[in-house]
């Protein structure tokens, strides 16, 4: 018999971070009458992640199973796919290993799912926890770093416009995933030196294509740790380009073949216009304004995404 919720933690070399995530899950409140489990998916780590989980299992909550699975195929998308396969919950709540849930996160996640029978996925408020101040105008790029604070009113996302929640703290209906997610993801996530993103958006787009709704739940709060290196110029430029490179592939998802040339043409024209306009407006500040440089690199990635999609035979 399926349980209410599986909290799945995909991790790659996350041993130093896992203990704190598990500590926050251990401290969840309002779960006395709920059936839930925790599943750590080790995504081919080379550190002592497995040993850390075994240590936690030795002194864990008897009423909340803590399980471990190893996924050798590198990439966040593969780790999440493995989590869904192994999960026993009706809902699977993904939680990155640098994301800490508030004490009522599990309770609110289950309550929201029960109250929204047409929801295929939903996420809540993701607050940034910085070790040092972010750059000026960070609000314009915070979504790229999985920071979401969209107010206190629940609302539906619009996946057809690439308006989706990040997977850092995303809850999905397991059966909807099994029915509509492809066995092999189109976008695997950032692997090795590749920063190509979009795997988070792909989830919502497939579920939306299957007729499921994607929601924002304001009662679900998590804290996302953003270390200093993720605010450095080199990292942000790679992130911007990687997110941009997924644009064409994402917009071609689930489109019939006859529509794909039209979509591709719109991306080429729109991206060219944005690149030229942004460069002309901010050309004198690109060396000093990190956010302006980030946005230009993202627009350039959008433009390059057409060639990237063609090279990877995404018109099939």
């Amino acid at each position: 018999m399926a349980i209410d919720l599986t909290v799945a933690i995909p991790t790659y070399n996350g041993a130093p971070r896992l203990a704190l995530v598990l500590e926050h899950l251990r401290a969840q409140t309002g779960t006395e009458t709920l059936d839930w489990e925790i599943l750590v998916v080790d995504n081919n780590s080379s550190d002592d992640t497995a040993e850390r989980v075994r240590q936690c299992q030795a002194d864990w909550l008897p009423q909340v199973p803590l399980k471990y699975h190893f996924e050798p195929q590198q990439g966040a998308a593969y780790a999440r796919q493995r989590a869904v396969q192994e999960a026993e919950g009706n809902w699977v709540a993904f939680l990155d290993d640098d994301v800490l849930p508030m004490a009522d996160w599990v309770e609110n996640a289950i309550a929201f799912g029960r109250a929204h029978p047409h929801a295929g996925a939903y996420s809540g408020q993701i607050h940034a926890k910085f070790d040092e101040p972010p750059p000026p105008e960070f609000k314009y790029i915070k979504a790229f770093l999985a920071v979401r604070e969209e107010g206190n009113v629940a609302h539906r996302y619009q996946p057809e416009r690439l308006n989706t929640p990040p997977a850092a703290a995303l809850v999905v209906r397991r059966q909807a995933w099994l029915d509509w997610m492809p066995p092999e993801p189109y976008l695997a996530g950032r692997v090795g030196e590749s920063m190509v993103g979009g795997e988070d958006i792909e989830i919502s787009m497939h579920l939306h294509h299957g007729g499921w709704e994607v929601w924002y739940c304001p009662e679900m709060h998590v804290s996302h740790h953003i270390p200093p290196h993720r605010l450095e110029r080199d990292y942000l430029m790679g992130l911007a380009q990687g997110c941009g490179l997924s644009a064409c592939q994402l917009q071609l998802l689930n489109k019939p073949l006859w529509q794909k040339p039209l979509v591709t043409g719109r991306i080429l024209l729109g991206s060219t216009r944005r690149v030229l306009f942004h460069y002309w407006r901010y050309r004198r500040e690109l060396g000093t304004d990190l956010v302006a440089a980030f946005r230009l690199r993202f627009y350039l990635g959008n433009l390059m995404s057409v060639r990237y999609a063609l090279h990877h035979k995404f018109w099939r």
Side-chain angles (χ1 to χ4, degrees), residues 64-121:
V64 182
L66 173 59
K67 303 176 182 179
Y68 170 91
H69 288 281
F70 184 83
E71 173 50 54
Q73 181 69 49
Q74 203 80 58
Y78 295 106
R80 292 180 184 126
Q81 187 79 280
R82 180 63 182 274
V84 173
Q85 292 169 359
E86 302 292 348
E88 296 185 31
N90 291 316
W91 293 93
V92 180
F94 299 118
L95 203 60
D96 283 2
D97 62 16
D98 56 0
V99 171
L100 303 178
M102 300 298 103
D104 57 357
W105 188 75
V106 167
E107 177 187 13
N108 286 329
I110 293 175
F112 192 86
R114 288 174 173 175
H116 293 78
H118 300 294

Coordinates of all heavy atoms in Angstrom, one line a residue, residues 64-121:
V64 N 9.6 6.6 10.5 CA 9.9 7.3 9.2 C 11.1 6.5 8.6 O 12.2 6.8 8.9 CB 10.2 8.8 9.4 CG1 10.5 9.4 8.0 CG2 9.1 9.5 10.1
P65 N 10.9 5.6 7.7 CA 12.0 4.9 7.0 C 13.0 5.9 6.4 O 12.6 6.8 5.7 CB 11.3 4.0 6.0 CG 9.9 3.9 6.5 CD 9.6 5.2 7.2
L66 N 14.3 5.6 6.5 CA 15.3 6.3 5.8 C 16.0 5.3 4.9 O 16.7 4.4 5.4 CB 16.3 6.9 6.9 CG 17.6 7.5 6.3 CD1 17.2 8.7 5.3 CD2 18.5 8.1 7.4
K67 N 15.9 5.5 3.6 CA 16.5 4.5 2.7 C 17.6 5.1 1.8 O 17.7 6.3 1.7 CB 15.3 4.0 1.8 CG 14.2 3.4 2.5 CD 13.0 3.0 1.5 CE 11.8 2.5 2.3 NZ 10.7 2.1 1.4
Y68 N 18.4 4.3 1.2 CA 19.5 4.7 0.4 C 19.5 3.9 -0.9 O 19.3 2.7 -0.9 CB 20.8 4.5 1.2 CG 22.1 4.6 0.3 CD1 22.7 5.9 0.2 CD2 22.6 3.6 -0.4 CE1 23.9 6.0 -0.6 CE2 23.8 3.7 -1.2 CZ 24.4 4.9 -1.2 OH 25.5 5.1 -2.0
H69 N 19.7 4.6 -2.0 CA 19.9 3.9 -3.3 C 21.0 4.6 -4.1 O 21.2 5.9 -3.9 CB 18.6 4.0 -4.1 CG 17.5 3.1 -3.6 ND1 17.5 1.7 -3.8 CD2 16.5 3.4 -2.8 CE1 16.5 1.2 -3.2 NE2 15.8 2.2 -2.6
F70 N 21.7 3.9 -4.8 CA 22.9 4.4 -5.6 C 22.4 4.5 -7.1 O 21.9 3.5 -7.7 CB 24.1 3.5 -5.5 CG 25.3 4.0 -6.2 CD1 26.1 4.9 -5.6 CD2 25.6 3.5 -7.5 CE1 27.3 5.4 -6.3 CE2 26.8 4.0 -8.1 CZ 27.6 4.9 -7.5
E71 N 22.6 5.6 -7.7 CA 22.3 5.8 -9.1 C 23.6 6.1 -9.9 O 24.2 7.2 -9.7 CB 21.3 6.9 -9.3 CG 21.1 7.3 -10.8 CD 20.8 6.1 -11.7 OE1 19.8 5.3 -11.4 OE2 21.5 5.9 -12.7
P72 N 24.1 5.2 -10.7 CA 25.4 5.4 -11.3 C 25.4 6.4 -12.5 O 26.5 7.0 -12.8 CB 25.8 4.0 -11.8 CG 24.5 3.3 -12.0 CD 23.6 3.8 -10.9
Q73 N 24.3 6.6 -13.1 CA 24.2 7.5 -14.3 C 24.2 8.9 -13.8 O 23.3 9.4 -13.1 CB 22.9 7.3 -15.1 CG 22.8 8.1 -16.3 CD 23.8 7.8 -17.4 OE1 24.0 6.7 -17.7 NE2 24.4 8.8 -17.9
Q74 N 25.3 9.7 -14.1 CA 25.4 11.0 -13.6 C 24.4 12.0 -14.2 O 24.1 11.9 -15.4 CB 26.8 11.5 -14.0 CG 27.3 12.7 -13.1 CD 27.9 12.1 -11.8 OE1 28.8 11.3 -11.8 NE2 27.3 12.6 -10.7
G75 N 23.9 12.9 -13.4 CA 22.9 13.9 -13.8 C 21.7 13.9 -12.9 O 21.2 12.9 -12.5
A76 N 21.3 15.1 -12.5 CA 20.2 15.3 -11.6 C 18.9 14.6 -12.1 O 18.1 14.1 -11.3 CB 19.9 16.8 -11.3
A77 N 18.7 14.7 -13.4 CA 17.5 14.1 -14.0 C 17.5 12.6 -13.8 O 16.4 12.0 -13.5 CB 17.4 14.4 -15.5
Y78 N 18.6 11.9 -13.9 CA 18.7 10.5 -13.7 C 18.5 10.1 -12.2 O 17.8 9.1 -11.9 CB 20.0 9.9 -14.2 CG 20.2 10.1 -15.6 CD1 21.1 11.0 -16.2 CD2 19.5 9.2 -16.5 CE1 21.2 11.1 -17.5 CE2 19.7 9.4 -17.9 CZ 20.5 10.3 -18.4 OH 20.7 10.4 -19.7
A79 N 19.0 11.0 -11.3 CA 18.8 10.7 -9.9 C 17.3 10.9 -9.5 O 16.8 10.1 -8.7 CB 19.7 11.7 -9.1
R80 N 16.7 11.8 -10.1 CA 15.2 12.0 -9.8 C 14.4 10.9 -10.4 O 13.5 10.4 -9.7 CB 14.8 13.4 -10.3 CG 15.4 14.5 -9.5 CD 15.0 15.9 -10.0 NE 15.7 17.0 -9.3 CZ 16.4 17.9 -9.8 NH1 16.4 18.0 -11.2 NH2 17.0 18.8 -9.1
Q81 N 14.8 10.5 -11.5 CA 14.1 9.3 -12.2 C 14.2 8.1 -11.3 O 13.2 7.3 -11.0 CB 14.7 9.0 -13.5 CG 14.0 8.0 -14.4 CD 12.7 8.5 -15.0 OE1 11.7 8.6 -14.4 NE2 12.8 8.9 -16.3
R82 N 15.4 7.8 -10.7 CA 15.6 6.7 -9.9 C 14.8 6.9 -8.6 O 14.2 5.9 -8.1 CB 17.1 6.6 -9.5 CG 17.5 5.4 -8.6 CD 17.2 4.1 -9.2 NE 17.4 3.0 -8.3 CZ 18.6 2.4 -8.2 NH1 19.7 2.8 -8.9 NH2 18.8 1.4 -7.3
A83 N 14.7 8.1 -8.1 CA 14.0 8.3 -6.8 C 12.5 7.9 -7.0 O 11.9 7.3 -6.2 CB 14.1 9.8 -6.4
V84 N 11.9 8.3 -8.2 CA 10.5 8.0 -8.4 C 10.3 6.5 -8.6 O 9.3 6.0 -8.1 CB 10.0 8.8 -9.7 CG1 8.6 8.3 -10.1 CG2 10.1 10.3 -9.5
Q85 N 11.3 5.8 -9.2 CA 11.2 4.4 -9.4 C 11.2 3.7 -8.0 O 10.5 2.7 -7.8 CB 12.3 3.9 -10.2 CG 12.2 4.3 -11.7 CD 13.5 4.0 -12.5 OE1 14.5 3.5 -11.9 NE2 13.5 4.4 -13.7
E86 N 12.0 4.2 -7.1 CA 12.1 3.5 -5.8 C 11.1 4.0 -4.8 O 10.9 3.3 -3.7 CB 13.6 3.7 -5.3 CG 14.7 3.2 -6.2 CD 14.7 1.7 -6.3 OE1 14.1 1.0 -5.5 OE2 15.5 1.3 -7.2
A87 N 10.5 5.1 -5.0 CA 9.6 5.7 -4.0 C 8.3 4.8 -3.8 O 7.9 4.2 -4.7 CB 9.2 7.1 -4.4
E88 N 7.8 4.9 -2.6 CA 6.6 4.2 -2.2 C 5.5 5.2 -2.0 O 4.3 4.8 -1.7 CB 6.8 3.3 -1.0 CG 7.7 2.1 -1.2 CD 7.8 1.2 -0.1 OE1 6.8 1.1 0.6 OE2 8.9 0.6 0.2
G89 N 5.8 6.5 -2.0 CA 4.7 7.5 -1.7 C 3.9 7.8 -2.9 O 4.3 7.7 -4.1
N90 N 2.6 8.2 -2.7 CA 1.8 8.8 -3.7 C 2.4 10.1 -4.3 O 2.2 10.4 -5.5 CB 0.4 9.1 -3.2 CG -0.4 7.8 -2.8 OD1 -0.4 6.8 -3.6 ND2 -1.0 7.8 -1.7
W91 N 3.1 10.8 -3.4 CA 3.8 12.0 -3.9 C 5.3 11.8 -3.6 O 5.7 11.2 -2.6 CB 3.3 13.2 -3.1 CG 1.9 13.6 -3.4 CD1 0.7 13.2 -2.7 CD2 1.4 14.5 -4.4 NE1 -0.4 13.7 -3.3 CE2 0.0 14.5 -4.3 CE3 2.0 15.2 -5.4 CZ2 -0.8 15.3 -5.2 CZ3 1.3 15.9 -6.3 CH2 -0.1 16.0 -6.2
V92 N 6.1 12.4 -4.5 CA 7.5 12.4 -4.3 C 8.0 13.9 -4.2 O 7.8 14.7 -5.1 CB 8.3 11.7 -5.4 CG1 9.8 11.7 -5.2 CG2 7.8 10.3 -5.6
A93 N 8.6 14.2 -3.0 CA 9.1 15.6 -2.8 C 10.6 15.6 -2.9 O 11.3 15.0 -2.1 CB 8.7 16.0 -1.4
F94 N 11.1 16.2 -4.0 CA 12.5 16.3 -4.2 C 13.0 17.4 -3.3 O 12.5 18.5 -3.2 CB 12.8 16.7 -5.7 CG 12.3 15.6 -6.7 CD1 11.4 15.9 -7.6 CD2 12.8 14.3 -6.6 CE1 11.0 14.9 -8.5 CE2 12.4 13.3 -7.5 CZ 11.5 13.7 -8.4
L95 N 14.2 17.2 -2.8 CA 14.8 18.2 -1.9 C 16.3 18.1 -2.1 O 17.0 17.1 -1.9 CB 14.5 17.8 -0.4 CG 14.6 18.9 0.6 CD1 13.7 20.0 0.4 CD2 14.4 18.3 2.0
D96 N 16.9 19.2 -2.7 CA 18.3 19.2 -3.0 C 19.1 19.2 -1.7 O 18.6 19.6 -0.6 CB 18.7 20.5 -3.8 CG 18.3 20.3 -5.3 OD1 17.8 19.3 -5.7 OD2 18.6 21.3 -6.0
D97 N 20.3 18.7 -1.7 CA 21.1 18.5 -0.5 C 21.6 19.8 0.1 O 22.2 19.8 1.2 CB 22.2 17.5 -0.7 CG 23.3 18.0 -1.7 OD1 23.3 19.2 -2.1 OD2 24.0 17.1 -2.2
D98 N 21.3 21.0 -0.6 CA 21.7 22.3 0.0 C 20.4 23.1 0.3 O 20.5 24.3 0.5 CB 22.6 23.1 -0.9 CG 22.0 23.3 -2.3 OD1 20.9 22.8 -2.6 OD2 22.7 23.9 -3.1
V99 N 19.3 22.4 0.5 CA 18.0 23.0 0.8 C 17.5 22.5 2.1 O 17.4 21.2 2.3 CB 17.0 22.7 -0.4 CG1 15.6 23.2 0.0 CG2 17.4 23.4 -1.7
L100 N 17.1 23.4 3.0 CA 16.7 23.0 4.3 C 15.2 23.3 4.5 O 14.8 24.5 4.4 CB 17.5 23.7 5.4 CG 19.0 23.5 5.3 CD1 19.7 24.3 6.4 CD2 19.3 22.0 5.5
P101 N 14.4 22.3 4.8 CA 12.9 22.6 4.9 C 12.6 23.1 6.3 O 13.2 22.7 7.3 CB 12.3 21.2 4.7 CG 13.4 20.2 5.2 CD 14.7 20.9 4.9
M102 N 11.6 24.0 6.3 CA 11.1 24.5 7.6 C 10.3 23.3 8.3 O 10.0 22.3 7.7 CB 10.1 25.7 7.4 CG 10.8 26.9 6.7 SD 12.2 27.6 7.7 CE 13.6 26.9 6.8
A103 N 10.1 23.5 9.6 CA 9.6 22.4 10.4 C 8.2 21.8 10.0 O 7.9 20.7 10.2 CB 9.5 22.8 11.9
D104 N 7.4 22.6 9.3 CA 6.1 22.2 8.8 C 6.0 21.9 7.3 O 4.9 21.8 6.8 CB 5.0 23.2 9.2 CG 5.3 24.6 8.6 OD1 6.3 24.8 7.9 OD2 4.5 25.5 8.8
W105 N 7.2 21.7 6.7 CA 7.2 21.6 5.3 C 6.5 20.3 4.8 O 5.7 20.3 3.9 CB 8.7 21.6 4.8 CG 8.8 21.6 3.3 CD1 8.6 22.7 2.5 CD2 9.3 20.5 2.4 NE1 8.9 22.3 1.1 CE2 9.3 21.0 1.1 CE3 9.6 19.2 2.7 CZ2 9.7 20.2 0.0 CZ3 10.0 18.4 1.6 CH2 10.0 18.9 0.3
V106 N 6.8 19.2 5.5 CA 6.2 17.9 5.1 C 4.7 17.9 5.3 O 3.9 17.5 4.4 CB 6.9 16.7 5.9 CG1 6.0 15.4 5.7 CG2 8.3 16.5 5.4
E107 N 4.3 18.4 6.4 CA 2.9 18.5 6.7 C 2.1 19.4 5.7 O 1.1 19.0 5.2 CB 2.7 19.2 8.1 CG 1.2 19.4 8.5 CD 1.1 20.2 9.8 OE1 2.1 20.8 10.3 OE2 0.0 20.2 10.4
N108 N 2.7 20.5 5.3 CA 2.0 21.4 4.4 C 2.1 20.8 2.9 O 1.2 21.0 2.1 CB 2.7 22.8 4.4 CG 2.3 23.6 5.6 OD1 1.2 23.4 6.1 ND2 3.2 24.4 6.1
A109 N 3.2 20.1 2.6 CA 3.3 19.4 1.3 C 2.2 18.4 1.1 O 1.5 18.3 0.1 CB 4.6 18.8 1.2
I110 N 1.9 17.6 2.1 CA 0.9 16.6 2.0 C -0.5 17.2 2.0 O -1.4 16.8 1.2 CB 1.0 15.6 3.2 CG1 2.3 14.8 3.1 CG2 -0.2 14.6 3.3 CD1 2.6 13.8 4.2
A111 N -0.7 18.2 2.8 CA -2.0 18.9 2.8 C -2.3 19.5 1.5 O -3.5 19.5 1.0 CB -2.0 19.9 4.0
F112 N -1.4 20.2 0.9 CA -1.6 20.8 -0.4 C -1.9 19.8 -1.5 O -2.9 20.0 -2.3 CB -0.4 21.7 -0.8 CG -0.7 22.6 -2.0 CD1 -1.2 23.9 -1.7 CD2 -0.4 22.2 -3.3 CE1 -1.5 24.7 -2.8 CE2 -0.7 23.1 -4.3 CZ -1.2 24.3 -4.1
G113 N -1.2 18.7 -1.5 CA -1.5 17.7 -2.5 C -2.9 17.1 -2.3 O -3.6 16.9 -3.3
R114 N -3.3 16.9 -1.1 CA -4.7 16.4 -0.9 C -5.8 17.4 -1.3 O -6.8 17.0 -1.8 CB -4.8 16.0 0.6 CG -4.1 14.8 1.1 CD -4.2 14.6 2.6 NE -3.6 13.4 3.0 CZ -3.4 13.0 4.3 NH1 -3.8 13.8 5.3 NH2 -2.9 11.9 4.6
A115 N -5.5 18.6 -1.1 CA -6.5 19.7 -1.5 C -6.5 20.0 -2.9 O -7.4 20.8 -3.4 CB -6.2 20.9 -0.6
H116 N -5.6 19.5 -3.7 CA -5.5 19.9 -5.2 C -5.4 18.6 -6.0 O -4.3 18.2 -6.4 CB -4.3 20.8 -5.4 CG -4.5 22.2 -4.8 ND1 -4.2 22.4 -3.4 CD2 -4.9 23.4 -5.3 CE1 -4.5 23.7 -3.2 NE2 -4.8 24.3 -4.3
P117 N -6.5 18.0 -6.2 CA -6.5 16.7 -6.9 C -6.0 16.8 -8.4 O -5.7 15.7 -9.0 CB -7.9 16.2 -6.8 CG -8.7 17.5 -6.7 CD -7.9 18.4 -5.8
H118 N -6.0 18.0 -9.0 CA -5.6 18.1 -10.4 C -4.1 18.5 -10.5 O -3.6 18.7 -11.6 CB -6.5 19.1 -11.1 CG -7.9 18.7 -11.1 ND1 -8.4 17.5 -11.8 CD2 -9.0 19.2 -10.5 CE1 -9.7 17.4 -11.6 NE2 -10.1 18.4 -10.9
A119 N -3.4 18.7 -9.3 CA -2.0 19.1 -9.4 C -1.1 17.9 -9.7 O -1.2 16.8 -9.1 CB -1.7 19.7 -8.0
G120 N -0.3 18.1 -10.7 CA 0.7 17.1 -11.0 C 2.1 17.4 -10.3 O 2.9 16.5 -10.1
A121 N 2.3 18.7 -10.0 CA 3.5 19.1 -9.3 C 3.2 20.5 -8.6 O 2.3 21.2 -9.1 CB 4.6 19.2 -10.3

